[in-house]
Amino acid sequence: MSQQMPYPSYPSYGYDMYQSTQFPYGMPQQQQQQQQLAPMQPSGTFIPGTPVTPGQMLVEESYIENILRLNRGKVITVYQTFENNSQWNAKIFRGVLETAGRDHIILSDPQTGKRYLLLMVNTDYITADEELNYVPPSLPIGMR
């Protein structure tokens, strides 16, 4: 009976391998101590089971859903295409950004009161008539 080799431990989602105490395949670690970062999911919530100690910085990655959430209440235009649709291959939706999630955007049309739940998978690009709020992600110390 052959002996199975253990799988290497890969960094989990949102985990910064440059800040870890273990590296896959036993790669050497830098000796300099850096400020630790607490990983967050794209939705802006903590990754369950991740311990947060005093002095840790909270890091949120730059995802479309997070950028959209920073701009709730602004009027945006969402350009979408739909494959294999004989009635309409492309559509444009304009309205007030209510919220956004990992796979969707919710717009409301102030003139009709109608709300649209749009899938991100169909979204090609988004425009806004005013400046968008955006917080660029910061790189860990030593990666700048």
Side-chain angles (χ1 to χ4, degrees):
M1 179 175 215
S2 68
Q3 191 177 26
Q4 282 190 330
M5 296 290 292
Y7 290 105
S9 62
Y10 291 103
S12 62
Y13 175 79
Y15 185 75
D16 185 353
M17 73 178 212
Y18 298 104
Q19 301 293 328
S20 71
T21 56
Q22 289 183 321
F23 283 86
Y25 306 113
M27 292 170 36
Q29 177 186 353
Q30 293 178 351
Q31 293 301 319
Q32 115 187 15
Q33 184 68 318
Q34 298 176 352
Q35 189 172 20
Q36 291 188 346
L37 305 173
M40 298 181 82
Q41 294 178 345
S43 63
T45 59
F46 292 106
I47 296 175
T50 304
V52 178
T53 58
Q56 279 187 312
M57 292 175 50
L58 300 180
V59 176
E60 187 165 342
E61 305 222 5
S62 182
Y63 289 97
I64 292 172
E65 66 189 84
N66 294 334
I67 296 167
L68 289 173
R69 271 199 291 278
L70 287 172
N71 292 281
R72 287 183 190 134
K74 293 187 178 184
V75 176
I76 64 169
T77 305
V78 180
Y79 297 83
Q80 294 194 320
T81 52
F82 305 90
E83 290 183 35
N84 302 320
N85 190 321
S86 60
Q87 292 181 335
W88 33 268
N89 185 16
K91 260 192 133 155
I92 299 171
F93 299 90
R94 184 170 175 82
V96 175
L97 176 60
E98 297 290 328
T99 193
R102 183 172 290 183
D103 64 347
H104 65 278
I105 302 169
I106 298 177
L107 291 181
S108 64
D109 183 344
Q111 293 176 342
T112 64
K114 194 176 212 174
R115 289 193 164 51
Y116 297 96
L117 174 61
L118 307 174
L119 299 180
M120 286 285 204
V121 71
N122 297 326
T123 302
D124 295 318
Y125 64 98
I126 300 168
T127 62
D129 293 340
E130 60 184 292
E131 187 174 340
L132 292 175
N133 297 321
Y134 179 69
V135 178
S138 60
L139 293 173
I141 298 169
M143 296 291 296
R144 295 177 190 172

